[in-house]
Amino acid sequence: RQAAVQVWKTVVSVTPRTLREILSELVDQIVVSLASGDPERTQVAGRCLGDIVQKLGDQVLPEVIPVLRDSLYRGDEHTRQGVCVGLAEVIASSSKEQIVKFLNILVKVVQDALCDENDQVRTMATQCFQSLFQVVGTRTLDEVVPALLVSMESEDDVTKTRALNGVTGILSVRSRELLPYIIPRVLKTPLTVSHADALASISAATSQTIHMHFNSIIPTLILDLSSFHGANLNEEEQL
């Protein structure tokens, strides 16, 4: 990398102007490297993207962010993982004012990545969410979480599972902020099977903080269990 920097400085006199001239091709090459499936090549491409954003800022973001968004939706799992690495670098290298301009796009992309069916993509997406939270604060939760909670109530099992994946991903990095918001929603009585499943997944993702909410969780569970005392339950209700 140092050797490449020396070559660049030797042949390029005005870096910002040259970057603007080759930007389209450069971004295409970076996306290919992000999607390579090679961890080292992906990380290098991510850092390269972050460097470009730091140097050009507003001039490059309108081109980079849509390309990453489109790659997430049409790429394979390696591409989606790479997109998350790239997005995390872009977010970390941008100012709050720059991120706010593209927040609607970023929120949607991060939300969909958090709900991805692939574990590695979801893990990478939590880093994007964390980076976004560090830049714009709790607004990230306000933009992402409500839509996921609505989807968790869906009658479609796939939609429900994807939303739960997204919520547990966020909880793995921001449980203290999110648990007070989500626990009352999954403890609505009478407790449904889907809410009980959600509570189990949430508890597994927040083992270090869930105990702070035992005073509301345990009484609700006991009360709900007591309502079945002496009742003839079918197989599903017994489970």
Side-chain angles (χ1 to χ4, degrees), residues 119-187:
D119 290 343
Q120 289 299 315
V121 175
R122 294 200 302 271
T123 299
M124 298 291 187
T126 60
Q127 298 175 14
C128 293
F129 182 89
Q130 186 79 316
S131 296
L132 200 57
F133 188 94
Q134 289 170 352
V135 176
V136 298
T138 56
R139 183 175 175 182
T140 311
L141 292 173
D142 296 336
E143 296 283 348
V144 174
V145 173
L148 294 178
L149 294 180
V150 170
S151 296
M152 282 176 60
E153 302 293 335
S154 172
E155 295 182 359
D156 179 70
D157 288 340
V158 174
T159 300
K160 190 184 303 181
T161 299
R162 284 176 56 84
L164 185 57
N165 285 339
V167 169
T168 53
I170 297 172
L171 284 168
S172 69
V173 292
R174 287 289 164 184
S175 61
R176 290 181 183 273
E177 293 86 354
L178 184 53
L179 278 176
Y181 185 74
I182 195 172
I183 288 297
R185 294 173 179 266
V186 298
L187 289 181

Short mmCIF file of all heavy atoms in Angstrom, two decimals, residues 119-187:
data_model
loop_
_atom_site.label_atom_id
_atom_site.label_comp_id
_atom_site.label_asym_id
_atom_site.label_seq_id
_atom_site.Cartn_x
_atom_site.Cartn_y
_atom_site.Cartn_z
N ASP A 119 -25.98 -15.38 7.96
CA ASP A 119 -25.46 -14.95 9.26
C ASP A 119 -24.33 -13.94 9.14
O ASP A 119 -24.26 -12.96 9.88
CB ASP A 119 -24.98 -16.16 10.07
CG ASP A 119 -26.11 -17.05 10.54
OD1 ASP A 119 -27.26 -16.57 10.52
OD2 ASP A 119 -25.86 -18.20 10.93
N GLN A 120 -23.40 -14.20 8.21
CA GLN A 120 -22.24 -13.32 8.07
C GLN A 120 -22.65 -11.94 7.59
O GLN A 120 -22.08 -10.93 8.02
CB GLN A 120 -21.23 -13.94 7.09
CG GLN A 120 -20.51 -15.15 7.63
CD GLN A 120 -19.70 -14.82 8.89
OE1 GLN A 120 -19.01 -13.81 8.95
NE2 GLN A 120 -19.81 -15.67 9.89
N VAL A 121 -23.62 -11.88 6.69
CA VAL A 121 -24.11 -10.58 6.23
C VAL A 121 -24.72 -9.81 7.39
O VAL A 121 -24.46 -8.61 7.57
CB VAL A 121 -25.15 -10.75 5.10
CG1 VAL A 121 -25.73 -9.38 4.70
CG2 VAL A 121 -24.51 -11.41 3.88
N ARG A 122 -25.50 -10.50 8.20
CA ARG A 122 -26.13 -9.83 9.35
C ARG A 122 -25.08 -9.34 10.35
O ARG A 122 -25.21 -8.25 10.92
CB ARG A 122 -27.11 -10.77 10.05
CG ARG A 122 -28.31 -11.15 9.21
CD ARG A 122 -29.47 -11.66 10.06
NE ARG A 122 -29.11 -12.82 10.86
CZ ARG A 122 -29.21 -14.07 10.46
NH1 ARG A 122 -29.64 -14.33 9.22
NH2 ARG A 122 -28.90 -15.08 11.25
N THR A 123 -24.03 -10.15 10.55
CA THR A 123 -22.96 -9.73 11.45
C THR A 123 -22.28 -8.47 10.94
O THR A 123 -22.02 -7.54 11.71
CB THR A 123 -21.92 -10.86 11.61
OG1 THR A 123 -22.56 -12.02 12.16
CG2 THR A 123 -20.79 -10.43 12.53
N MET A 124 -21.98 -8.44 9.64
CA MET A 124 -21.38 -7.24 9.05
C MET A 124 -22.33 -6.06 9.14
O MET A 124 -21.91 -4.91 9.36
CB MET A 124 -21.02 -7.50 7.58
CG MET A 124 -20.01 -8.59 7.35
SD MET A 124 -18.36 -8.15 7.94
CE MET A 124 -17.40 -9.53 7.32
N ALA A 125 -23.62 -6.33 8.97
CA ALA A 125 -24.61 -5.25 9.00
C ALA A 125 -24.69 -4.60 10.38
O ALA A 125 -24.97 -3.39 10.48
CB ALA A 125 -25.99 -5.78 8.60
N THR A 126 -24.46 -5.36 11.44
CA THR A 126 -24.47 -4.76 12.78
C THR A 126 -23.35 -3.73 12.91
O THR A 126 -23.51 -2.73 13.63
CB THR A 126 -24.33 -5.83 13.88
OG1 THR A 126 -23.10 -6.53 13.72
CG2 THR A 126 -25.48 -6.81 13.84
N GLN A 127 -22.23 -3.95 12.22
CA GLN A 127 -21.15 -2.96 12.24
C GLN A 127 -21.59 -1.68 11.54
O GLN A 127 -21.26 -0.58 11.99
CB GLN A 127 -19.90 -3.54 11.56
CG GLN A 127 -19.34 -4.77 12.27
CD GLN A 127 -18.17 -5.37 11.51
OE1 GLN A 127 -17.61 -4.76 10.61
NE2 GLN A 127 -17.80 -6.60 11.88
N CYS A 128 -22.34 -1.83 10.44
CA CYS A 128 -22.89 -0.65 9.76
C CYS A 128 -23.83 0.11 10.68
O CYS A 128 -23.78 1.34 10.77
CB CYS A 128 -23.65 -1.06 8.51
SG CYS A 128 -22.65 -1.75 7.20
N PHE A 129 -24.70 -0.64 11.36
CA PHE A 129 -25.65 0.00 12.27
C PHE A 129 -24.90 0.73 13.38
O PHE A 129 -25.24 1.86 13.73
CB PHE A 129 -26.59 -1.05 12.87
CG PHE A 129 -27.63 -0.44 13.77
CD1 PHE A 129 -28.84 -0.02 13.27
CD2 PHE A 129 -27.39 -0.28 15.14
CE1 PHE A 129 -29.80 0.56 14.10
CE2 PHE A 129 -28.33 0.29 15.97
CZ PHE A 129 -29.54 0.71 15.44
N GLN A 130 -23.87 0.08 13.91
CA GLN A 130 -23.08 0.69 14.98
C GLN A 130 -22.42 1.98 14.48
O GLN A 130 -22.42 2.99 15.19
CB GLN A 130 -22.03 -0.31 15.47
CG GLN A 130 -21.24 0.16 16.69
CD GLN A 130 -21.99 0.00 17.98
OE1 GLN A 130 -23.17 0.32 18.06
NE2 GLN A 130 -21.32 -0.50 19.00
N SER A 131 -21.87 1.95 13.29
CA SER A 131 -21.24 3.14 12.72
C SER A 131 -22.26 4.26 12.53
O SER A 131 -22.00 5.42 12.82
CB SER A 131 -20.58 2.81 11.37
OG SER A 131 -19.54 1.89 11.52
N LEU A 132 -23.44 3.89 12.04
CA LEU A 132 -24.50 4.87 11.83
C LEU A 132 -24.96 5.47 13.15
O LEU A 132 -25.17 6.69 13.25
CB LEU A 132 -25.67 4.20 11.11
CG LEU A 132 -26.67 5.10 10.37
CD1 LEU A 132 -25.97 5.95 9.33
CD2 LEU A 132 -27.75 4.24 9.72
N PHE A 133 -25.06 4.63 14.17
CA PHE A 133 -25.48 5.11 15.49
C PHE A 133 -24.46 6.09 16.04
O PHE A 133 -24.82 7.10 16.67
CB PHE A 133 -25.65 3.93 16.44
CG PHE A 133 -26.26 4.30 17.77
CD1 PHE A 133 -27.63 4.20 17.97
CD2 PHE A 133 -25.48 4.75 18.82
CE1 PHE A 133 -28.20 4.55 19.19
CE2 PHE A 133 -26.03 5.10 20.04
CZ PHE A 133 -27.40 5.00 20.22
N GLN A 134 -23.19 5.81 15.84
CA GLN A 134 -22.14 6.69 16.36
C GLN A 134 -22.15 8.06 15.69
O GLN A 134 -21.70 9.04 16.28
CB GLN A 134 -20.78 6.01 16.19
CG GLN A 134 -20.58 4.83 17.13
CD GLN A 134 -19.35 4.00 16.81
OE1 GLN A 134 -18.70 4.22 15.77
NE2 GLN A 134 -19.01 3.06 17.67
N VAL A 135 -22.67 8.10 14.46
CA VAL A 135 -22.70 9.38 13.74
C VAL A 135 -23.97 10.17 14.04
O VAL A 135 -23.91 11.36 14.34
CB VAL A 135 -22.57 9.15 12.22
CG1 VAL A 135 -22.71 10.48 11.47
CG2 VAL A 135 -21.24 8.50 11.89
N VAL A 136 -25.13 9.53 13.98
CA VAL A 136 -26.40 10.28 14.13
C VAL A 136 -27.15 9.95 15.41
O VAL A 136 -28.24 10.47 15.65
CB VAL A 136 -27.32 10.07 12.91
CG1 VAL A 136 -26.66 10.59 11.66
CG2 VAL A 136 -27.69 8.60 12.74
N GLY A 137 -26.59 9.07 16.24
CA GLY A 137 -27.16 8.81 17.56
C GLY A 137 -28.47 8.03 17.52
O GLY A 137 -28.70 7.20 16.63
N THR A 138 -29.36 8.33 18.48
CA THR A 138 -30.60 7.55 18.64
C THR A 138 -31.55 7.70 17.46
O THR A 138 -32.51 6.93 17.35
CB THR A 138 -31.32 7.97 19.92
OG1 THR A 138 -31.57 9.39 19.89
CG2 THR A 138 -30.50 7.63 21.15
N ARG A 139 -31.31 8.66 16.61
CA ARG A 139 -32.15 8.77 15.41
C ARG A 139 -32.08 7.49 14.58
O ARG A 139 -33.04 7.15 13.88
CB ARG A 139 -31.70 9.98 14.57
CG ARG A 139 -32.57 10.22 13.35
CD ARG A 139 -32.19 11.49 12.62
NE ARG A 139 -32.96 11.64 11.40
CZ ARG A 139 -32.82 12.63 10.53
NH1 ARG A 139 -31.94 13.59 10.79
NH2 ARG A 139 -33.56 12.67 9.43
N THR A 140 -30.96 6.80 14.67
CA THR A 140 -30.81 5.53 13.96
C THR A 140 -31.86 4.53 14.43
O THR A 140 -32.50 3.84 13.62
CB THR A 140 -29.40 4.94 14.19
OG1 THR A 140 -28.43 5.95 13.96
CG2 THR A 140 -29.15 3.77 13.27
N LEU A 141 -32.03 4.43 15.75
CA LEU A 141 -33.05 3.54 16.30
C LEU A 141 -34.44 3.98 15.85
O LEU A 141 -35.27 3.15 15.47
CB LEU A 141 -32.97 3.54 17.83
CG LEU A 141 -31.74 2.89 18.47
CD1 LEU A 141 -31.75 3.14 19.97
CD2 LEU A 141 -31.69 1.41 18.18
N ASP A 142 -34.69 5.28 15.90
CA ASP A 142 -36.01 5.80 15.54
C ASP A 142 -36.35 5.51 14.08
O ASP A 142 -37.53 5.32 13.74
CB ASP A 142 -36.07 7.32 15.78
CG ASP A 142 -35.91 7.68 17.25
OD1 ASP A 142 -36.21 6.82 18.10
OD2 ASP A 142 -35.48 8.81 17.54
N GLU A 143 -35.33 5.48 13.22
CA GLU A 143 -35.57 5.26 11.80
C GLU A 143 -35.71 3.78 11.45
O GLU A 143 -36.46 3.41 10.55
CB GLU A 143 -34.42 5.86 10.98
CG GLU A 143 -34.28 7.37 11.07
CD GLU A 143 -35.30 8.11 10.24
OE1 GLU A 143 -35.97 7.45 9.41
OE2 GLU A 143 -35.44 9.33 10.39
N VAL A 144 -34.98 2.91 12.16
CA VAL A 144 -34.90 1.50 11.77
C VAL A 144 -35.88 0.62 12.54
O VAL A 144 -36.58 -0.22 11.95
CB VAL A 144 -33.46 0.96 11.98
CG1 VAL A 144 -33.40 -0.54 11.71
CG2 VAL A 144 -32.49 1.70 11.08
N VAL A 145 -35.95 0.80 13.86
CA VAL A 145 -36.64 -0.16 14.71
C VAL A 145 -38.16 -0.22 14.49
O VAL A 145 -38.73 -1.32 14.42
CB VAL A 145 -36.32 0.11 16.20
CG1 VAL A 145 -37.17 -0.78 17.11
CG2 VAL A 145 -34.84 -0.13 16.45
N PRO A 146 -38.88 0.91 14.37
CA PRO A 146 -40.34 0.81 14.22
C PRO A 146 -40.79 -0.07 13.07
O PRO A 146 -41.73 -0.87 13.21
CB PRO A 146 -40.76 2.27 14.02
CG PRO A 146 -39.72 3.07 14.73
CD PRO A 146 -38.44 2.32 14.49
N ALA A 147 -40.13 0.04 11.92
CA ALA A 147 -40.50 -0.78 10.77
C ALA A 147 -40.27 -2.27 11.05
O ALA A 147 -41.07 -3.12 10.64
CB ALA A 147 -39.71 -0.35 9.54
N LEU A 148 -39.20 -2.59 11.78
CA LEU A 148 -38.93 -3.99 12.12
C LEU A 148 -39.98 -4.53 13.08
O LEU A 148 -40.41 -5.68 12.95
CB LEU A 148 -37.54 -4.11 12.75
CG LEU A 148 -36.34 -3.80 11.83
CD1 LEU A 148 -35.03 -3.92 12.60
CD2 LEU A 148 -36.33 -4.75 10.64
N LEU A 149 -40.39 -3.71 14.03
CA LEU A 149 -41.41 -4.15 14.99
C LEU A 149 -42.74 -4.41 14.30
O LEU A 149 -43.45 -5.36 14.64
CB LEU A 149 -41.58 -3.11 16.10
CG LEU A 149 -40.37 -2.91 17.02
CD1 LEU A 149 -40.66 -1.85 18.06
CD2 LEU A 149 -39.98 -4.22 17.68
N VAL A 150 -43.08 -3.58 13.33
CA VAL A 150 -44.30 -3.81 12.56
C VAL A 150 -44.21 -5.13 11.79
O VAL A 150 -45.15 -5.93 11.77
CB VAL A 150 -44.55 -2.63 11.58
CG1 VAL A 150 -45.68 -2.98 10.61
CG2 VAL A 150 -44.90 -1.37 12.35
N SER A 151 -43.06 -5.38 11.18
CA SER A 151 -42.86 -6.61 10.41
C SER A 151 -42.88 -7.85 11.31
O SER A 151 -43.27 -8.94 10.86
CB SER A 151 -41.54 -6.56 9.64
OG SER A 151 -41.56 -5.54 8.67
N MET A 152 -42.48 -7.69 12.57
CA MET A 152 -42.52 -8.82 13.51
C MET A 152 -43.94 -9.28 13.78
O MET A 152 -44.16 -10.42 14.20
CB MET A 152 -41.84 -8.44 14.83
CG MET A 152 -40.32 -8.49 14.77
SD MET A 152 -39.54 -7.92 16.31
CE MET A 152 -40.22 -9.10 17.50
N GLU A 153 -44.91 -8.42 13.52
CA GLU A 153 -46.32 -8.77 13.73
C GLU A 153 -46.95 -9.36 12.48
O GLU A 153 -48.13 -9.69 12.48
CB GLU A 153 -47.10 -7.53 14.16
CG GLU A 153 -46.58 -6.86 15.42
CD GLU A 153 -46.77 -7.72 16.65
OE1 GLU A 153 -47.68 -8.58 16.64
OE2 GLU A 153 -46.02 -7.56 17.61
N SER A 154 -46.18 -9.49 11.41
CA SER A 154 -46.71 -9.98 10.14
C SER A 154 -47.17 -11.43 10.27
O SER A 154 -46.64 -12.22 11.05
CB SER A 154 -45.64 -9.87 9.06
OG SER A 154 -46.06 -10.51 7.87
N GLU A 155 -48.17 -11.78 9.47
CA GLU A 155 -48.65 -13.16 9.43
C GLU A 155 -47.76 -14.03 8.54
O GLU A 155 -47.89 -15.25 8.55
CB GLU A 155 -50.10 -13.20 8.93
CG GLU A 155 -51.08 -12.51 9.90
CD GLU A 155 -52.51 -12.61 9.41
OE1 GLU A 155 -52.72 -13.19 8.31
OE2 GLU A 155 -53.41 -12.11 10.11
N ASP A 156 -46.91 -13.38 7.77
CA ASP A 156 -45.99 -14.12 6.89
C ASP A 156 -44.75 -14.53 7.69
O ASP A 156 -44.05 -13.68 8.25
CB ASP A 156 -45.59 -13.24 5.71
CG ASP A 156 -44.63 -13.96 4.78
OD1 ASP A 156 -45.06 -14.89 4.09
OD2 ASP A 156 -43.44 -13.57 4.76
N ASP A 157 -44.48 -15.81 7.75
CA ASP A 157 -43.37 -16.32 8.58
C ASP A 157 -42.02 -15.81 8.12
O ASP A 157 -41.15 -15.53 8.95
CB ASP A 157 -43.37 -17.86 8.57
CG ASP A 157 -44.52 -18.44 9.36
OD1 ASP A 157 -45.09 -17.72 10.22
OD2 ASP A 157 -44.87 -19.63 9.13
N VAL A 158 -41.81 -15.68 6.81
CA VAL A 158 -40.54 -15.20 6.30
C VAL A 158 -40.30 -13.76 6.71
O VAL A 158 -39.22 -13.39 7.19
CB VAL A 158 -40.48 -15.33 4.75
CG1 VAL A 158 -39.21 -14.69 4.21
CG2 VAL A 158 -40.55 -16.79 4.35
N THR A 159 -41.33 -12.93 6.55
CA THR A 159 -41.22 -11.52 6.94
C THR A 159 -40.96 -11.40 8.43
O THR A 159 -40.12 -10.60 8.87
CB THR A 159 -42.52 -10.77 6.58
OG1 THR A 159 -42.74 -10.85 5.17
CG2 THR A 159 -42.45 -9.31 7.00
N LYS A 160 -41.65 -12.22 9.20
CA LYS A 160 -41.50 -12.18 10.66
C LYS A 160 -40.08 -12.60 11.07
O LYS A 160 -39.46 -11.96 11.94
CB LYS A 160 -42.53 -13.12 11.29
CG LYS A 160 -42.65 -13.01 12.80
CD LYS A 160 -43.62 -14.06 13.33
CE LYS A 160 -44.97 -13.93 12.69
NZ LYS A 160 -45.95 -14.92 13.22
N THR A 161 -39.58 -13.65 10.45
CA THR A 161 -38.23 -14.13 10.77
C THR A 161 -37.17 -13.11 10.40
O THR A 161 -36.23 -12.87 11.17
CB THR A 161 -37.94 -15.46 10.04
OG1 THR A 161 -38.90 -16.44 10.47
CG2 THR A 161 -36.55 -15.97 10.35
N ARG A 162 -37.31 -12.49 9.23
CA ARG A 162 -36.35 -11.47 8.81
C ARG A 162 -36.34 -10.30 9.78
O ARG A 162 -35.28 -9.79 10.15
CB ARG A 162 -36.68 -10.99 7.39
CG ARG A 162 -36.29 -11.95 6.29
CD ARG A 162 -36.74 -11.43 4.92
NE ARG A 162 -36.22 -10.10 4.66
CZ ARG A 162 -35.02 -9.84 4.17
NH1 ARG A 162 -34.19 -10.85 3.89
NH2 ARG A 162 -34.62 -8.62 3.93
N ALA A 163 -37.52 -9.87 10.20
CA ALA A 163 -37.61 -8.75 11.13
C ALA A 163 -36.97 -9.10 12.47
O ALA A 163 -36.26 -8.27 13.07
CB ALA A 163 -39.07 -8.35 11.33
N LEU A 164 -37.21 -10.31 12.94
CA LEU A 164 -36.62 -10.74 14.21
C LEU A 164 -35.10 -10.81 14.10
O LEU A 164 -34.39 -10.44 15.05
CB LEU A 164 -37.19 -12.09 14.62
CG LEU A 164 -36.76 -12.63 16.00
CD1 LEU A 164 -37.09 -11.63 17.10
CD2 LEU A 164 -37.42 -13.97 16.28
N ASN A 165 -34.60 -11.25 12.95
CA ASN A 165 -33.15 -11.24 12.71
C ASN A 165 -32.59 -9.83 12.84
O ASN A 165 -31.53 -9.61 13.43
CB ASN A 165 -32.83 -11.79 11.32
CG ASN A 165 -32.97 -13.29 11.22
OD1 ASN A 165 -32.93 -13.99 12.23
ND2 ASN A 165 -33.14 -13.79 10.01
N GLY A 166 -33.32 -8.87 12.26
CA GLY A 166 -32.88 -7.48 12.33
C GLY A 166 -32.87 -6.94 13.74
O GLY A 166 -31.90 -6.29 14.16
N VAL A 167 -33.92 -7.22 14.49
CA VAL A 167 -34.02 -6.72 15.87
C VAL A 167 -32.93 -7.33 16.74
O VAL A 167 -32.27 -6.62 17.52
CB VAL A 167 -35.42 -7.02 16.45
CG1 VAL A 167 -35.44 -6.76 17.95
CG2 VAL A 167 -36.47 -6.16 15.76
N THR A 168 -32.73 -8.63 16.64
CA THR A 168 -31.70 -9.27 17.47
C THR A 168 -30.31 -8.80 17.09
O THR A 168 -29.42 -8.70 17.95
CB THR A 168 -31.78 -10.81 17.39
OG1 THR A 168 -31.76 -11.22 16.01
CG2 THR A 168 -33.07 -11.31 18.02
N GLY A 169 -30.10 -8.48 15.80
CA GLY A 169 -28.81 -7.92 15.38
C GLY A 169 -28.55 -6.59 16.04
O GLY A 169 -27.44 -6.32 16.53
N ILE A 170 -29.55 -5.73 16.06
CA ILE A 170 -29.40 -4.43 16.73
C ILE A 170 -29.19 -4.61 18.22
O ILE A 170 -28.36 -3.94 18.83
CB ILE A 170 -30.65 -3.55 16.46
CG1 ILE A 170 -30.77 -3.25 14.97
CG2 ILE A 170 -30.56 -2.24 17.25
CD1 ILE A 170 -32.06 -2.57 14.59
N LEU A 171 -29.94 -5.53 18.81
CA LEU A 171 -29.82 -5.77 20.25
C LEU A 171 -28.43 -6.25 20.63
O LEU A 171 -27.96 -5.99 21.74
CB LEU A 171 -30.85 -6.80 20.70
CG LEU A 171 -32.30 -6.29 20.82
CD1 LEU A 171 -33.26 -7.46 20.98
CD2 LEU A 171 -32.44 -5.32 21.98
N SER A 172 -27.75 -6.94 19.72
CA SER A 172 -26.42 -7.45 20.04
C SER A 172 -25.41 -6.33 20.24
O SER A 172 -24.37 -6.54 20.87
CB SER A 172 -25.93 -8.39 18.92
OG SER A 172 -25.66 -7.68 17.72
N VAL A 173 -25.72 -5.13 19.73
CA VAL A 173 -24.78 -4.00 19.90
C VAL A 173 -25.40 -2.83 20.66
O VAL A 173 -24.66 -1.97 21.16
CB VAL A 173 -24.26 -3.50 18.52
CG1 VAL A 173 -23.36 -4.54 17.89
CG2 VAL A 173 -25.39 -3.12 17.58
N ARG A 174 -26.74 -2.77 20.75
CA ARG A 174 -27.39 -1.63 21.40
C ARG A 174 -28.55 -2.08 22.29
O ARG A 174 -29.62 -1.51 22.26
CB ARG A 174 -27.90 -0.64 20.34
CG ARG A 174 -26.79 0.14 19.65
CD ARG A 174 -26.17 1.15 20.60
NE ARG A 174 -24.90 1.64 20.11
CZ ARG A 174 -24.12 2.47 20.79
NH1 ARG A 174 -24.49 2.89 21.99
NH2 ARG A 174 -22.96 2.86 20.30
N SER A 175 -28.31 -3.09 23.10
CA SER A 175 -29.39 -3.65 23.91
C SER A 175 -29.88 -2.67 24.99
O SER A 175 -31.08 -2.61 25.28
CB SER A 175 -28.96 -4.96 24.56
OG SER A 175 -27.86 -4.76 25.42
N ARG A 176 -28.99 -1.91 25.59
CA ARG A 176 -29.40 -0.99 26.66
C ARG A 176 -30.38 0.06 26.15
O ARG A 176 -31.31 0.45 26.87
CB ARG A 176 -28.17 -0.32 27.29
CG ARG A 176 -27.31 -1.27 28.10
CD ARG A 176 -26.12 -0.55 28.73
NE ARG A 176 -25.26 -1.48 29.46
CZ ARG A 176 -25.44 -1.83 30.71
NH1 ARG A 176 -26.46 -1.32 31.40
NH2 ARG A 176 -24.62 -2.68 31.29
N GLU A 177 -30.13 0.53 24.93
CA GLU A 177 -31.02 1.54 24.38
C GLU A 177 -32.33 0.95 23.87
O GLU A 177 -33.39 1.60 23.96
CB GLU A 177 -30.33 2.27 23.22
CG GLU A 177 -29.14 3.13 23.61
CD GLU A 177 -27.84 2.35 23.68
OE1 GLU A 177 -27.89 1.11 23.53
OE2 GLU A 177 -26.79 2.97 23.88
N LEU A 178 -32.28 -0.27 23.34
CA LEU A 178 -33.45 -0.83 22.66
C LEU A 178 -34.37 -1.65 23.56
O LEU A 178 -35.59 -1.64 23.37
CB LEU A 178 -32.99 -1.68 21.47
CG LEU A 178 -34.08 -2.27 20.57
CD1 LEU A 178 -35.02 -1.19 20.07
CD2 LEU A 178 -33.45 -3.00 19.39
N LEU A 179 -33.82 -2.35 24.53
CA LEU A 179 -34.66 -3.22 25.36
C LEU A 179 -35.83 -2.49 26.04
O LEU A 179 -36.95 -3.02 26.05
CB LEU A 179 -33.81 -3.94 26.41
CG LEU A 179 -33.08 -5.20 25.93
CD1 LEU A 179 -32.20 -5.77 27.04
CD2 LEU A 179 -34.04 -6.26 25.43
N PRO A 180 -35.61 -1.31 26.62
CA PRO A 180 -36.76 -0.63 27.24
C PRO A 180 -37.87 -0.31 26.26
O PRO A 180 -39.03 -0.16 26.65
CB PRO A 180 -36.14 0.67 27.80
CG PRO A 180 -34.69 0.36 27.95
CD PRO A 180 -34.35 -0.56 26.83
N TYR A 181 -37.52 -0.23 25.00
CA TYR A 181 -38.49 0.09 23.96
C TYR A 181 -39.23 -1.15 23.47
O TYR A 181 -40.44 -1.09 23.17
CB TYR A 181 -37.73 0.75 22.80
CG TYR A 181 -38.58 1.27 21.67
CD1 TYR A 181 -39.32 2.43 21.81
CD2 TYR A 181 -38.61 0.61 20.45
CE1 TYR A 181 -40.10 2.92 20.76
CE2 TYR A 181 -39.37 1.08 19.39
CZ TYR A 181 -40.11 2.24 19.55
OH TYR A 181 -40.87 2.72 18.52
N ILE A 182 -38.51 -2.28 23.42
CA ILE A 182 -39.09 -3.47 22.78
C ILE A 182 -39.74 -4.44 23.76
O ILE A 182 -40.71 -5.12 23.42
CB ILE A 182 -38.01 -4.19 21.93
CG1 ILE A 182 -38.68 -5.18 20.97
CG2 ILE A 182 -36.99 -4.90 22.80
CD1 ILE A 182 -37.72 -5.79 19.98
N ILE A 183 -39.22 -4.52 24.99
CA ILE A 183 -39.76 -5.48 25.95
C ILE A 183 -41.26 -5.29 26.18
O ILE A 183 -42.03 -6.28 26.15
CB ILE A 183 -38.99 -5.41 27.29
CG1 ILE A 183 -37.59 -6.01 27.13
CG2 ILE A 183 -39.74 -6.15 28.41
CD1 ILE A 183 -37.58 -7.48 26.77
N PRO A 184 -41.76 -4.07 26.41
CA PRO A 184 -43.21 -3.93 26.61
C PRO A 184 -44.03 -4.40 25.41
O PRO A 184 -45.16 -4.85 25.58
CB PRO A 184 -43.37 -2.41 26.82
CG PRO A 184 -42.05 -1.95 27.32
CD PRO A 184 -41.05 -2.79 26.60
N ARG A 185 -43.47 -4.32 24.22
CA ARG A 185 -44.20 -4.72 23.03
C ARG A 185 -44.34 -6.23 22.90
O ARG A 185 -45.35 -6.73 22.37
CB ARG A 185 -43.52 -4.14 21.78
CG ARG A 185 -43.59 -2.62 21.72
CD ARG A 185 -42.78 -2.05 20.59
NE ARG A 185 -42.88 -0.61 20.55
CZ ARG A 185 -43.76 0.08 19.82
NH1 ARG A 185 -44.60 -0.57 19.05
NH2 ARG A 185 -43.78 1.39 19.85
N VAL A 186 -43.32 -6.98 23.34
CA VAL A 186 -43.41 -8.44 23.24
C VAL A 186 -44.08 -9.06 24.46
O VAL A 186 -44.36 -10.26 24.46
CB VAL A 186 -42.02 -9.08 23.02
CG1 VAL A 186 -41.41 -8.60 21.73
CG2 VAL A 186 -41.10 -8.81 24.19
N LEU A 187 -44.35 -8.26 25.48
CA LEU A 187 -45.00 -8.78 26.68
C LEU A 187 -46.50 -8.47 26.73
O LEU A 187 -47.12 -8.56 27.79
CB LEU A 187 -44.33 -8.20 27.94
CG LEU A 187 -42.92 -8.72 28.25
CD1 LEU A 187 -42.40 -8.07 29.52
CD2 LEU A 187 -42.90 -10.24 28.37
#
